[in-house]
Amino acid sequence: MSKAVVDLPPKGGFSFDLCRRNDMLAKKGVNPPSYRKTGTTIVGLTFQDGVILGADTRATEGPIVCDKNCEKIHYMAPNIYCCGAGTGADTEAVTDMVSSQLQLHRYHTGRESRVVTALTLLKRHLFNYQGHVQAALVLGGVDVTGPHLHTIYPHGSTDTLPYATMGSGSLAAMAVFESKFREGLTRDEGIQLVAEAICSGIFNDLGSGSNVDICVITKGHKEYLRNHLLPNPRTYVSEKGYPFPKKTEVLLTKITPLKEKVDIVEAGDAMEE
Amino acid sequence: MSIFEYNGSALIAMVGKNCFAIASDRRLGVQLQTIATDFQRIYKVHDKLFLGLSGLATDAQTLYQRLVFKHKLYQLREERDMKPETFASLVSALLYEKRFGPYFCQPVIAGLGDEDKPFICTMDSIGAKELAKDFVVAGTASESLYGACESMFKPDMESEELFETVSQALLSSVDRDCLSGWGGHVYVVTPTEIRERILKGRMD
C-alpha cells in the first residue's frame, strides 16, 4: 500500500519534516548554521518589598554581535517577568507560549497568576524536550503568596533562591552577589546591587555587553527600567559622516508610484422612502 | 563548509526618514561556480512590505511560496494587507515550527507600518527576531556588512542619501566576499513610490 501523505493542517508544536534532509546534508559535510545566542548575564534578587531582575543587552551569532540592544527581560504576566539566556529563539518562544497560557489561565480562574504556575508550565515544557530547547531562565514575580525568585535550567530542573544568576556571565555576577547581598535590602540598594552585578558580567564576560536592563516588581506594581545604565557609548562618531561624491552607477531604474487609496465617504444621502 | 556558504548571498535593510531601503546582491552559485547573475532575493509581499531571504536558495524559494500563500489567505480573510510587525511574527513562527530541522534561511523583513513608520527586522534560521532601529544585515558577507553599515549609517537620511549609503555599503562589503556580488538590486520605498534600481558592480 502506498504511503499517502495527507496534508493535514498543523496542530501546533514542532514539525520534524526537514530533519531527514538536514541529516543527509550534515553527512555530506554541510554543517548547520550557528543560532543566535544570548551569551548573557541575567540576575535576580529578592529585596524587602519584592524582586528585582536584571539583564545585559547583547545578542551574539557565533563571535559576532548581531544585536547591541536586545530585550532579555520578557513579560509573562502583569506581576511576573522572566529573563532568558541560551538560544534566542528558544527563550522568546517558550516565554511567549507560557505567557499566553498564563493569560488563558487567568481568564479561566479569574485570579492573578502565581509565580509557581509559570514555573511549572516552563519546567514541564523544557523537561519534555530533554534539554534540546536550550532556554535557561530566571523567573521572578510577586503574587498573593509573596515575592518569589526561581531559576530554570534547560533540562527542566529548578531552584528557588533569594538571589540567582544565569548565563555565561553568571560567575562574574554571582561573585558580586556573594560578597554584597544581605536580607532586607531597600529598593535603591537592590537596584544598585543588580546594576553592579550586570556590569561585572558586561565588562568581564565576552558573551555579555552593551547596556543594563532592570525590572522591579513589588506587590501590585512593576517598573521596567529599559536601558537603566548605558556604560558603553560609542567612543568615536565621525561628525562629518561619509559623503559619497562619486554617485553609484545605476544600470536600470524602475519607479512604481503607490496607488492612493480612495476614501469612501460614509455619510451619504438617506434613502428616500 | 557551512550550509549558508553553498549558494552565497548578501542582504541589507536600512531605515531612513519615513522611508526604508532593502538591497541584495545578484549572484547565485553552487559553491565556487556561478550559475546565475540575476537571481532575485528580495520579494514584494505587498506595496509596503518587502522580504529578503538569504541562505540556501531552495529553502528561500520554498519559504517565500509558503509565506505568500499565508499572506494571500490573510488578505482574503481580513480584507487588508498585513502589517510588517505581524508579518515578522508570522515568519518567526513558521521558522520556529521547524526548530529541530530548520530551513536554512535568514530572512530580512522591511516595511512601512502604521502612519508609514519604517520597520525592519531580521531573524536567524530558527526565528529569533532582531528588531533594529537602524539597519539589519544577513548573508555570507554579513561580517563586512556589519562593519560597513556601522560606519556609514546616519539617522534620518532622505531617500536619495539612503540609496547612496545602502549601495556603497553593499558594494564595498560584497567586494570582500567571494560568494556574493555580481551587481546589486536596491529597493527604496517611501510612502508614495517604490524605486527599484540595479547597480553596476564588480563582476568577479
Side-chain angles (χ1 to χ4, degrees), chain A residues 75-220:
Chain A
Y75 168 87
M76 298 286 268
N79 57 324
I80 308 174
Y81 274 74
C82 185
C83 306
T87 302
D90 287 331
T91 56
E92 274 179 44
V94 95
T95 49
D96 268 349
M97 183 188 81
V98 172
S99 169
S100 310
Q101 288 179 339
L102 284 175
Q103 175 85 325
L104 286 170
H105 192 249
R106 276 202 295 284
Y107 285 139
H108 198 71
T109 57
R111 289 180 171 78
E112 193 186 52
S113 297
R114 298 195 186 189
V115 182
V116 287
T117 316
L119 178 72
T120 310
L121 288 167
L122 285 165
K123 69 157 42 172
R124 292 253 170 93
H125 181 82
L126 292 175
F127 181 74
N128 204 11
Y129 287 97
Q130 288 291 295
H132 288 284
V133 174
Q134 282 155 8
L137 309 164
V138 169
L139 176 71
V142 180
D143 56 27
V144 286
T145 51
H148 297 275
L149 179 68
H150 303 281
T151 52
I152 306 162
Y153 290 83
H155 285 265
S157 61
T158 57
D159 280 326
T160 307
L161 299 161
Y163 56 95
T165 66
M166 292 287 260
S168 55
S170 61
L171 272 68
M174 189 50 97
V176 172
F177 273 174
E178 285 291 2
S179 52
K180 296 188 182 174
F181 180 82
R182 58 184 168 74
E183 296 283 330
L185 287 163
T186 63
R187 181 181 177 278
D188 291 323
E189 285 173 342
I191 292 181
Q192 163 80 6
L193 184 57
V194 165
E196 214 180 313
I198 299 286
C199 283
S200 156
I202 287 175
F203 293 119
N204 298 99
D205 174 42
L206 299 178
S208 317
S210 297
N211 316 314
V212 179
D213 280 352
I214 294 192
C215 186
V216 184
I217 311 172
T218 52
K219 191 158 180 65

Side-chain angles (χ1 to χ4, degrees), chain B residues 95-167:
Chain B
L95 291 172
Y96 193 71
E97 196 185 17
K98 302 259 186 285
R99 162 72 173 89
F100 298 116
Y103 286 117
F104 296 126
C105 276
Q106 266 185 317
V108 167
I109 296 158
L112 290 174
D114 286 334
E115 281 136 45
D116 292 330
K117 187 162 180 291
F119 170 85
I120 50 171
C121 158
T122 185
M123 287 165 215
D124 70 351
S125 55
I126 45 174
K129 268 188 286 195
E130 184 207 319
L131 309 159
K133 298 212 167 52
D134 39 17
F135 58 86
V136 292
V137 301
T140 47
S142 62
E143 294 180 22
S144 313
L145 282 165
Y146 273 123
C149 290
E150 191 73 54
S151 42
M152 293 182 195
F153 176 80
K154 277 193 316 246
D156 287 332
M157 283 186 280
E158 293 293 334
S159 62
E160 280 308 312
E161 200 189 345
L162 182 67
F163 164 70
E164 275 305 312
T165 308
V166 165
S167 311

Side-chain angles (χ1 to χ4, degrees), chain B residues 43-86:
Chain B
Y43 302 99
K44 186 175 89 154
V45 177
H46 64 76
D47 277 342
K48 291 184 180 173
L49 179 56
F50 282 75
L51 170 71
L53 290 163
S54 72
L56 195 62
T58 169
D59 277 350
Q61 289 180 336
T62 307
L63 195 60
Y64 165 66
Q65 285 163 8
R66 286 187 74 189
L67 285 165
V68 142
F69 168 73
K70 290 200 179 223
H71 182 252
K72 283 188 179 168
L73 277 178
Y74 183 93
Q75 274 180 324
L76 287 170
R77 285 197 197 108
E78 300 262 332
E79 292 176 8
R80 63 177 178 87
D81 292 328
M82 222 187 230
K83 281 192 236 183
E85 294 85 357
T86 317

Side-chain angles (χ1 to χ4, degrees), chain A residues 10 12-19 21-22 25 29-37 61 63-69 87-94 125 129 132-134 234 239-244 246-261, chain B residues 1-4 6 44 47-48 56 58-59 70 81 92 96-104 106 112 123-132 134-135 143 146 150-154 160 163-165 167-169 171 189-201:
Chain A
F14 295 121
S15 143
F16 296 94
D17 17 315
L18 294 177
C19 285
R21 174 199 78 156
N22 293 357
L25 283 169
V30 179
N31 298 316
S34 64
Y35 301 140
R36 189 163 84 101
K37 287 193 181 290
E61 203 159 27
I64 305 287
V65 176
C66 61
D67 194 348
K68 292 183 282 183
N69 206 359
T87 302
D90 287 331
T91 56
E92 274 179 44
V94 95
H125 181 82
Y129 287 97
H132 288 284
V133 174
Q134 282 155 8
R234 268 189 85 166
E239 286 298 325
K240 293 188 291 270
Y242 285 88
F244 298 111
K246 203 169 158 198
K247 294 225 172 272
T248 322
E249 277 194 66
V250 177
L251 294 172
L252 165 71
T253 310
K254 193 167 104 172
I255 305 175
T256 316
L258 292 177
K259 289 190 281 280
E260 282 280 325
K261 288 215 156 64
Chain B
M1 186 208 56
S2 158
I3 187 66
F4 277 118
Y6 189 74
K44 186 175 89 154
D47 277 342
K48 291 184 180 173
L56 195 62
T58 169
D59 277 350
K70 290 200 179 223
D81 292 328
S92 176
Y96 193 71
E97 196 185 17
K98 302 259 186 285
R99 162 72 173 89
F100 298 116
Y103 286 117
F104 296 126
Q106 266 185 317
L112 290 174
M123 287 165 215
D124 70 351
S125 55
I126 45 174
K129 268 188 286 195
E130 184 207 319
L131 309 159
D134 39 17
F135 58 86
E143 294 180 22
Y146 273 123
E150 191 73 54
S151 42
M152 293 182 195
F153 176 80
K154 277 193 316 246
E160 280 308 312
F163 164 70
E164 275 305 312
T165 308
S167 311
Q168 291 289 339
L171 291 175
V189 180
T190 60
T192 49
E193 63 174 15
I194 303 173
R195 266 182 203 252
E196 182 189 336
R197 278 179 268 229
I198 297 191
L199 306 173
K200 178 174 166 181

